[in-house]
Amino acid sequence: EHWAKINNLKQASKTLNYLTEHNINSYSELESRIDETCKQFDDTADKFKSVERNLNDINILRKHISTYKALRPVYDKYVKSNNKAKFEKEHQREIILFKASHKYLSQEQTDRKLPTLESVNVQRMELEEQRQKLYTDYRKAKKEAMLHTPQRSEPTRENQIE
């Protein structure tokens, strides 16, 4: 019981110090600060997830472009070959991969111009930089949100009995 009183006083002291450090003088100010912090955290998390999705899409596009470019000569030979069945049997894996990449790129690229691997890599690097910056902002916002939201303590045996 003595320990609980000391712990409660320490928590009250920390709370009072936080409120005075952040110039929070009323409950409504505290609520508005909590709402702002949580909104900022949610916005940052949404932006981070969006950049992650875009980065994933860029990586898939890179894979298909490199596959398409690497296997295009094999497919051209297949188209020009006299014995397509034999050539297809010998190079079935390459032809299937080329067709899958061609189908993906046809669906994704509406202007019918294949982007260069270099331009896609530049986009990827820009997104990676954005992701790193947003991750830093995300960690800061998360830390702030944790400071502003009340911590829920685990119920002790005494609390459960009452």
Side-chain angles (χ1 to χ4, degrees), residues 41-54:
F41 174 73
D42 291 341
D43 291 346
T44 305
D46 290 343
K47 288 177 188 175
F48 182 75
K49 288 175 187 173
S50 174
V51 168
E52 286 269 309
R53 281 191 298 273
N54 291 344

Side-chain angles (χ1 to χ4, degrees), residues 9-62:
L9 285 172
K10 285 181 181 179
Q11 286 299 102
S13 173
K14 285 181 185 178
T15 302
L16 185 60
N17 286 339
Y18 181 83
L19 293 174
T20 54
E21 284 175 12
H22 291 89
N23 200 22
I24 300 173
N25 299 319
S26 68
Y27 187 72
S28 60
E29 286 180 39
L30 178 63
E31 282 183 325
S32 68
R33 185 76 60 96
I34 289 171
D35 291 342
E36 289 171 16
T37 304
C38 288
K39 185 181 181 325
Q40 180 185 5
F41 174 73
D42 291 341
D43 291 346
T44 305
D46 290 343
K47 288 177 188 175
F48 182 75
K49 288 175 187 173
S50 174
V51 168
E52 286 269 309
R53 281 191 298 273
N54 291 344
L55 195 55
N56 188 39
D57 292 344
I58 288 288
N59 285 333
I60 292 170
L61 181 63
R62 283 179 64 224

Side-chain angles (χ1 to χ4, degrees), residues 67-156:
T67 301
Y68 180 87
K69 285 185 176 185
L71 299 178
R72 178 71 193 245
V74 175
Y75 189 77
D76 288 343
K77 288 179 185 175
Y78 166 70
V79 169
K80 292 178 184 177
S81 72
N82 293 333
N83 191 352
K84 290 191 187 322
K86 180 182 176 195
F87 192 90
E88 185 175 6
K89 187 175 182 181
E90 292 172 358
H91 300 281
Q92 183 178 15
R93 179 184 167 276
E94 292 91 350
I95 293 170
I96 290 171
L97 288 172
F98 175 83
K99 286 181 179 180
S101 291
H102 179 71
K103 181 179 178 183
Y104 177 84
L105 293 170
S106 296
Q107 290 171 349
E108 291 295 313
Q109 304 302 325
T110 57
D111 60 0
R112 296 287 182 210
K113 179 126 170 90
L114 188 66
T116 63
L117 205 52
E118 293 79 24
S119 68
V120 173
N121 283 335
V122 167
Q123 283 179 326
R124 182 181 171 276
M125 293 306 293
E126 289 170 358
L127 283 172
E128 191 65 44
E129 289 173 9
Q130 228 180 337
R131 185 177 76 87
Q132 290 296 329
K133 182 186 178 303
L134 282 171
Y135 186 68
T136 303
D137 294 346
Y138 172 81
R139 286 194 325 223
K140 284 181 190 175
K142 185 175 182 179
K143 185 177 180 181
E144 278 293 313
M146 294 300 248
L147 287 175
H148 283 87
T149 55
Q151 300 294 320
R152 295 203 169 99
S153 59
E154 293 295 317
T156 60

